[in-house]
Amino acid sequence: MNKKKLMILAIILGSLLLLCGLVLVLKKDIKLELNGKANISINVNDKYKDEKVSACYGNMFKCKKISYTTFGNVDTTKIGTYKIRYRATYNKKSKSVTRTVKVVDKNKPKLTINTKEFSICPNGKLKNYDYKAEDNLDGEITDKVNVKVEYDKIVFTIQDKAKNLTKKTFDYKKEDSEAPKITLNGKDNIYLLVGDAYNEEGVTVTDDCDDLADKVKTTGTVDTSKPGTYTITYEVSDEAGNNAKVTRTVTVYNKNVDVTPSEKTIYLTFDDGPGPYTARLLDILKKYNVKATFFVTNQYPAYESMITREAQEGHSVAIHTYTHNYSYVYSSVENYFADLNNMQEKIKRLTGKETRLVRFPGGSSNTISRKYSSGIMSTLANELEARGYKYFDWNVVSGDAGDTTSTSQIIANVTSNLRSSYTNVLQHDVKGYSVDAVEAIIQYGLTHGYHFAPLDVTSPGAHQRINN
Ligand SMILES: [Zn+2]
């Protein structure tokens, strides 16, 4: 009986299991499965193609395709972990699955080495090598390159933020064949008036292997109490015996001395002022005891007190015109002299005396005046002489009247054209860049045997040919 009961129980249990299985197999539900892998890793900037999911509703015998919704997206330009979730809803049931996509940087940095032959200093110091490192994400990272010597190789390594590593190794020699670089601090040519202090500015030394800042040998001295040309030599050698040298010239000279103009006389003349730069110019002239000539106008009356100063400091004050207006002064002899008299009165008021010295706007050879009155320059030249005036042109142009605005060019134009007899230089003290050239012109003149003088009625006229 026991055996029979057991069999019945087994049959009942077996039937229940079968029934349950049948229910399970036939029961309808949402089936949602990822196509492709659940975890994906892609390189930054690579294309990401979503493989989607398979979604259906039914049982193992029959399953009907249903729609689903996708949430989230992948930015392949940015490193990070992205989740894509898919959800299917059907018959009040809902199911979702998730895929993880990692965007990672697998690109190694690019390391470009331009140096062809490698050497290190005898003392083990590395030299300056020419290389560049760039990374797809970090940009230029040349400053992150690590250079070191490992046994018989020189090793360059660069790692980007994602730890991708690029490494290059090279053979090297141990040598120092490059000379130190030595450069002067301050000017290579210094001009000093007798009695001025000489300030030693030294040199700057660089070397690819050694620190030579304290190894410079300086020879030569400057005696600022004696006119002359002094040379200071700076010399340095590195540990390997490579040598470098540089020199500085210091010229000590006397102030301009007042002598009777004869040979090698420079007449500095300044037209169109006074103006905003005249005071600065007068300071420079005073420093070197150089007297000049100012052909003045009334164009900038705010600076008229400079005319007084010019006269007080021993310069020649001369007439250029009152208005500097070509169409007015060159339209008739009457206009010219009316204008001239205005300037003469002003000069007399400011300096206490009249002047006999004149310069025409544009010079006596100007052709612009033809536009206003034919033959007027010849008439004016004669008439000035008849009235006791002396007119001046020039024989060296500084170039400041329009063709150059460069101070160094003005200095070159003047110093390279000085005459052995006399030089009448045309400049304009209403131009700052021209005033800036005066000190160097004076220094050049004084150290090359010239002297400077103001114009007076006995000075040469430097006349050009009258063309109208
Ligand atoms: Zn002028």
Side-chain angles (χ1 to χ4, degrees), residues 271-272 320 324 361 428:
D271 288 9
D272 293 8
H320 194 30
H324 206 271
H428 295 80

PDB file of all heavy atoms in Angstrom, residues 271-272 320 324 361 428, ligand 1:
ATOM      1  N   ASP A 271      64.430 124.360 -38.847  1.00  0.00           N
ATOM      2  CA  ASP A 271      63.354 125.190 -39.408  1.00  0.00           C
ATOM      3  C   ASP A 271      62.007 124.876 -38.761  1.00  0.00           C
ATOM      4  O   ASP A 271      61.816 123.822 -38.159  1.00  0.00           O
ATOM      5  CB  ASP A 271      63.216 124.918 -40.916  1.00  0.00           C
ATOM      6  CG  ASP A 271      64.375 125.488 -41.713  1.00  0.00           C
ATOM      7  OD1 ASP A 271      65.360 125.929 -41.101  1.00  0.00           O
ATOM      8  OD2 ASP A 271      64.282 125.471 -42.959  1.00  0.00           O
ATOM      9  N   ASP A 272      61.081 125.802 -38.958  1.00  0.00           N
ATOM     10  CA  ASP A 272      59.625 125.624 -38.708  1.00  0.00           C
ATOM     11  C   ASP A 272      59.193 125.752 -37.246  1.00  0.00           C
ATOM     12  O   ASP A 272      58.013 125.823 -36.977  1.00  0.00           O
ATOM     13  CB  ASP A 272      59.102 124.278 -39.241  1.00  0.00           C
ATOM     14  CG  ASP A 272      59.143 124.215 -40.768  1.00  0.00           C
ATOM     15  OD1 ASP A 272      59.708 125.138 -41.384  1.00  0.00           O
ATOM     16  OD2 ASP A 272      58.639 123.224 -41.330  1.00  0.00           O
ATOM     17  N   HIS A 320      62.314 132.392 -40.723  1.00  0.00           N
ATOM     18  CA  HIS A 320      61.902 131.450 -41.767  1.00  0.00           C
ATOM     19  C   HIS A 320      60.702 132.070 -42.489  1.00  0.00           C
ATOM     20  O   HIS A 320      60.738 132.242 -43.698  1.00  0.00           O
ATOM     21  CB  HIS A 320      61.549 130.116 -41.130  1.00  0.00           C
ATOM     22  CG  HIS A 320      61.430 128.988 -42.101  1.00  0.00           C
ATOM     23  ND1 HIS A 320      62.144 128.920 -43.265  1.00  0.00           N
ATOM     24  CD2 HIS A 320      60.665 127.855 -42.076  1.00  0.00           C
ATOM     25  CE1 HIS A 320      61.837 127.804 -43.917  1.00  0.00           C
ATOM     26  NE2 HIS A 320      60.934 127.142 -43.217  1.00  0.00           N
ATOM     27  N   HIS A 324      54.479 130.715 -42.694  1.00  0.00           N
ATOM     28  CA  HIS A 324      54.917 129.520 -43.425  1.00  0.00           C
ATOM     29  C   HIS A 324      53.876 129.101 -44.455  1.00  0.00           C
ATOM     30  O   HIS A 324      53.765 127.924 -44.825  1.00  0.00           O
ATOM     31  CB  HIS A 324      55.216 128.362 -42.470  1.00  0.00           C
ATOM     32  CG  HIS A 324      56.212 127.386 -43.025  1.00  0.00           C
ATOM     33  ND1 HIS A 324      55.856 126.295 -43.782  1.00  0.00           N
ATOM     34  CD2 HIS A 324      57.570 127.344 -42.942  1.00  0.00           C
ATOM     35  CE1 HIS A 324      56.948 125.623 -44.126  1.00  0.00           C
ATOM     36  NE2 HIS A 324      57.997 126.231 -43.633  1.00  0.00           N
ATOM     37  N   PRO A 361      61.020 129.408 -47.008  1.00  0.00           N
ATOM     38  CA  PRO A 361      60.314 128.122 -46.984  1.00  0.00           C
ATOM     39  C   PRO A 361      60.544 127.406 -48.323  1.00  0.00           C
ATOM     40  O   PRO A 361      60.364 127.999 -49.379  1.00  0.00           O
ATOM     41  CB  PRO A 361      58.839 128.509 -46.826  1.00  0.00           C
ATOM     42  CG  PRO A 361      58.884 129.859 -46.163  1.00  0.00           C
ATOM     43  CD  PRO A 361      60.125 130.525 -46.723  1.00  0.00           C
ATOM     44  N   HIS A 428      64.364 119.871 -38.829  1.00  0.00           N
ATOM     45  CA  HIS A 428      63.148 120.552 -38.371  1.00  0.00           C
ATOM     46  C   HIS A 428      62.911 120.192 -36.909  1.00  0.00           C
ATOM     47  O   HIS A 428      62.743 119.003 -36.597  1.00  0.00           O
ATOM     48  CB  HIS A 428      61.957 120.133 -39.235  1.00  0.00           C
ATOM     49  CG  HIS A 428      62.093 120.566 -40.671  1.00  0.00           C
ATOM     50  ND1 HIS A 428      62.860 119.878 -41.577  1.00  0.00           N
ATOM     51  CD2 HIS A 428      61.599 121.656 -41.327  1.00  0.00           C
ATOM     52  CE1 HIS A 428      62.812 120.510 -42.751  1.00  0.00           C
ATOM     53  NE2 HIS A 428      62.060 121.592 -42.634  1.00  0.00           N
TER      54      HIS A 428
HETATM   55 ZN    ZN B   1      59.955 125.258 -43.557  1.00  0.00          ZN
END
